[in-house]
PDB file of all heavy atoms in Angstrom:
ATOM      1  N   LEU F 625     -14.918 -18.001  -6.547  1.00  0.00           N
ATOM      2  CA  LEU F 625     -15.039 -18.278  -5.115  1.00  0.00           C
ATOM      3  C   LEU F 625     -15.238 -19.770  -4.858  1.00  0.00           C
ATOM      4  O   LEU F 625     -14.676 -20.329  -3.903  1.00  0.00           O
ATOM      5  CB  LEU F 625     -16.202 -17.475  -4.520  1.00  0.00           C
ATOM      6  CG  LEU F 625     -16.028 -15.956  -4.498  1.00  0.00           C
ATOM      7  CD1 LEU F 625     -17.287 -15.286  -3.961  1.00  0.00           C
ATOM      8  CD2 LEU F 625     -14.823 -15.555  -3.658  1.00  0.00           C
ATOM      9  N   GLU F 626     -16.017 -20.418  -5.712  1.00  0.00           N
ATOM     10  CA  GLU F 626     -16.256 -21.851  -5.543  1.00  0.00           C
ATOM     11  C   GLU F 626     -14.970 -22.641  -5.788  1.00  0.00           C
ATOM     12  O   GLU F 626     -14.627 -23.557  -5.027  1.00  0.00           O
ATOM     13  CB  GLU F 626     -17.351 -22.310  -6.516  1.00  0.00           C
ATOM     14  CG  GLU F 626     -17.728 -23.775  -6.386  1.00  0.00           C
ATOM     15  CD  GLU F 626     -18.318 -24.131  -5.025  1.00  0.00           C
ATOM     16  OE1 GLU F 626     -18.975 -23.258  -4.419  1.00  0.00           O
ATOM     17  OE2 GLU F 626     -18.108 -25.281  -4.576  1.00  0.00           O
ATOM     18  N   ARG F 627     -14.231 -22.285  -6.809  1.00  0.00           N
ATOM     19  CA  ARG F 627     -12.973 -22.981  -7.124  1.00  0.00           C
ATOM     20  C   ARG F 627     -11.914 -22.732  -6.057  1.00  0.00           C
ATOM     21  O   ARG F 627     -11.025 -23.557  -5.836  1.00  0.00           O
ATOM     22  CB  ARG F 627     -12.466 -22.536  -8.490  1.00  0.00           C
ATOM     23  CG  ARG F 627     -13.322 -23.023  -9.643  1.00  0.00           C
ATOM     24  CD  ARG F 627     -13.028 -22.286 -10.946  1.00  0.00           C
ATOM     25  NE  ARG F 627     -11.717 -22.594 -11.487  1.00  0.00           N
ATOM     26  CZ  ARG F 627     -11.251 -22.063 -12.622  1.00  0.00           C
ATOM     27  NH1 ARG F 627     -11.996 -21.211 -13.317  1.00  0.00           N
ATOM     28  NH2 ARG F 627     -10.045 -22.381 -13.058  1.00  0.00           N
ATOM     29  N   ASN F 628     -12.014 -21.606  -5.393  1.00  0.00           N
ATOM     30  CA  ASN F 628     -11.019 -21.250  -4.380  1.00  0.00           C
ATOM     31  C   ASN F 628     -11.264 -21.924  -3.033  1.00  0.00           C
ATOM     32  O   ASN F 628     -10.379 -21.932  -2.171  1.00  0.00           O
ATOM     33  CB  ASN F 628     -11.005 -19.730  -4.194  1.00  0.00           C
ATOM     34  CG  ASN F 628      -9.901 -19.267  -3.265  1.00  0.00           C
ATOM     35  OD1 ASN F 628      -8.719 -19.444  -3.555  1.00  0.00           O
ATOM     36  ND2 ASN F 628     -10.276 -18.690  -2.138  1.00  0.00           N
ATOM     37  N   LYS F 629     -12.443 -22.497  -2.835  1.00  0.00           N
ATOM     38  CA  LYS F 629     -12.787 -23.082  -1.537  1.00  0.00           C
ATOM     39  C   LYS F 629     -11.832 -24.199  -1.111  1.00  0.00           C
ATOM     40  O   LYS F 629     -11.661 -24.464   0.079  1.00  0.00           O
ATOM     41  CB  LYS F 629     -14.217 -23.627  -1.569  1.00  0.00           C
ATOM     42  CG  LYS F 629     -15.295 -22.558  -1.495  1.00  0.00           C
ATOM     43  CD  LYS F 629     -16.681 -23.189  -1.503  1.00  0.00           C
ATOM     44  CE  LYS F 629     -17.773 -22.127  -1.402  1.00  0.00           C
ATOM     45  NZ  LYS F 629     -19.134 -22.732  -1.453  1.00  0.00           N
ATOM     46  N   GLN F 630     -11.195 -24.832  -2.079  1.00  0.00           N
ATOM     47  CA  GLN F 630     -10.317 -25.965  -1.763  1.00  0.00           C
ATOM     48  C   GLN F 630      -8.998 -25.529  -1.123  1.00  0.00           C
ATOM     49  O   GLN F 630      -8.260 -26.346  -0.595  1.00  0.00           O
ATOM     50  CB  GLN F 630     -10.012 -26.746  -3.042  1.00  0.00           C
ATOM     51  CG  GLN F 630      -9.299 -25.917  -4.098  1.00  0.00           C
ATOM     52  CD  GLN F 630      -9.152 -26.636  -5.412  1.00  0.00           C
ATOM     53  OE1 GLN F 630      -8.474 -27.668  -5.499  1.00  0.00           O
ATOM     54  NE2 GLN F 630      -9.778 -26.100  -6.461  1.00  0.00           N
ATOM     55  N   PHE F 631      -8.702 -24.219  -1.154  1.00  0.00           N
ATOM     56  CA  PHE F 631      -7.416 -23.740  -0.657  1.00  0.00           C
ATOM     57  C   PHE F 631      -7.578 -23.092   0.709  1.00  0.00           C
ATOM     58  O   PHE F 631      -8.463 -22.261   0.919  1.00  0.00           O
ATOM     59  CB  PHE F 631      -6.801 -22.749  -1.643  1.00  0.00           C
ATOM     60  CG  PHE F 631      -6.716 -23.299  -3.040  1.00  0.00           C
ATOM     61  CD1 PHE F 631      -7.478 -22.750  -4.058  1.00  0.00           C
ATOM     62  CD2 PHE F 631      -5.893 -24.380  -3.322  1.00  0.00           C
ATOM     63  CE1 PHE F 631      -7.419 -23.267  -5.331  1.00  0.00           C
ATOM     64  CE2 PHE F 631      -5.828 -24.903  -4.591  1.00  0.00           C
ATOM     65  CZ  PHE F 631      -6.597 -24.352  -5.613  1.00  0.00           C
ATOM     66  N   THR F 632      -6.723 -23.481   1.642  1.00  0.00           N
ATOM     67  CA  THR F 632      -6.844 -23.005   3.022  1.00  0.00           C
ATOM     68  C   THR F 632      -6.003 -21.770   3.304  1.00  0.00           C
ATOM     69  O   THR F 632      -6.204 -21.105   4.313  1.00  0.00           O
ATOM     70  CB  THR F 632      -6.422 -24.116   3.998  1.00  0.00           C
ATOM     71  OG1 THR F 632      -5.067 -24.514   3.715  1.00  0.00           O
ATOM     72  CG2 THR F 632      -7.335 -25.317   3.866  1.00  0.00           C
ATOM     73  N   SER F 633      -5.058 -21.473   2.444  1.00  0.00           N
ATOM     74  CA  SER F 633      -4.197 -20.319   2.672  1.00  0.00           C
ATOM     75  C   SER F 633      -4.996 -19.033   2.538  1.00  0.00           C
ATOM     76  O   SER F 633      -5.749 -18.846   1.584  1.00  0.00           O
ATOM     77  CB  SER F 633      -3.034 -20.314   1.673  1.00  0.00           C
ATOM     78  OG  SER F 633      -2.214 -19.189   1.868  1.00  0.00           O
ATOM     79  N   ALA F 634      -4.848 -18.129   3.503  1.00  0.00           N
ATOM     80  CA  ALA F 634      -5.595 -16.873   3.508  1.00  0.00           C
ATOM     81  C   ALA F 634      -5.151 -15.975   2.360  1.00  0.00           C
ATOM     82  O   ALA F 634      -3.975 -15.961   1.986  1.00  0.00           O
ATOM     83  CB  ALA F 634      -5.391 -16.155   4.842  1.00  0.00           C
ATOM     84  N   PRO F 635      -6.072 -15.194   1.785  1.00  0.00           N
ATOM     85  CA  PRO F 635      -5.715 -14.329   0.656  1.00  0.00           C
ATOM     86  C   PRO F 635      -4.923 -13.086   1.039  1.00  0.00           C
ATOM     87  O   PRO F 635      -4.316 -12.454   0.186  1.00  0.00           O
ATOM     88  CB  PRO F 635      -7.077 -13.930   0.077  1.00  0.00           C
ATOM     89  CG  PRO F 635      -8.031 -14.045   1.223  1.00  0.00           C
ATOM     90  CD  PRO F 635      -7.526 -15.190   2.044  1.00  0.00           C
ATOM     91  N   TYR F 636      -4.940 -12.715   2.329  1.00  0.00           N
ATOM     92  CA  TYR F 636      -4.200 -11.533   2.782  1.00  0.00           C
ATOM     93  C   TYR F 636      -3.135 -11.935   3.789  1.00  0.00           C
ATOM     94  O   TYR F 636      -3.352 -12.822   4.618  1.00  0.00           O
ATOM     95  CB  TYR F 636      -5.138 -10.525   3.453  1.00  0.00           C
ATOM     96  CG  TYR F 636      -6.262 -10.046   2.580  1.00  0.00           C
ATOM     97  CD1 TYR F 636      -7.554 -10.546   2.731  1.00  0.00           C
ATOM     98  CD2 TYR F 636      -6.043  -9.089   1.593  1.00  0.00           C
ATOM     99  CE1 TYR F 636      -8.589 -10.105   1.926  1.00  0.00           C
ATOM    100  CE2 TYR F 636      -7.075  -8.641   0.787  1.00  0.00           C
ATOM    101  CZ  TYR F 636      -8.344  -9.152   0.953  1.00  0.00           C
ATOM    102  OH  TYR F 636      -9.366  -8.717   0.155  1.00  0.00           O
ATOM    103  N   SER F 637      -1.995 -11.246   3.724  1.00  0.00           N
ATOM    104  CA  SER F 637      -0.923 -11.488   4.688  1.00  0.00           C
ATOM    105  C   SER F 637      -0.454 -10.178   5.281  1.00  0.00           C
ATOM    106  O   SER F 637      -0.542  -9.119   4.652  1.00  0.00           O
ATOM    107  CB  SER F 637       0.263 -12.191   4.019  1.00  0.00           C
ATOM    108  OG  SER F 637      -0.083 -13.477   3.560  1.00  0.00           O
ATOM    109  N   GLY F 638       0.050 -10.261   6.498  1.00  0.00           N
ATOM    110  CA  GLY F 638       0.643  -9.117   7.169  1.00  0.00           C
ATOM    111  C   GLY F 638       1.687  -9.611   8.148  1.00  0.00           C
ATOM    112  O   GLY F 638       1.939 -10.821   8.251  1.00  0.00           O
TER     113      GLY F 638
END
Side-chain angles (χ1 to χ4, degrees):
L625 293 177
E626 183 63 31
R627 291 165 69 180
N628 186 63
K629 284 181 179 178
Q630 61 187 296
F631 307 113
T632 58
S633 179
Y636 302 102
S637 296

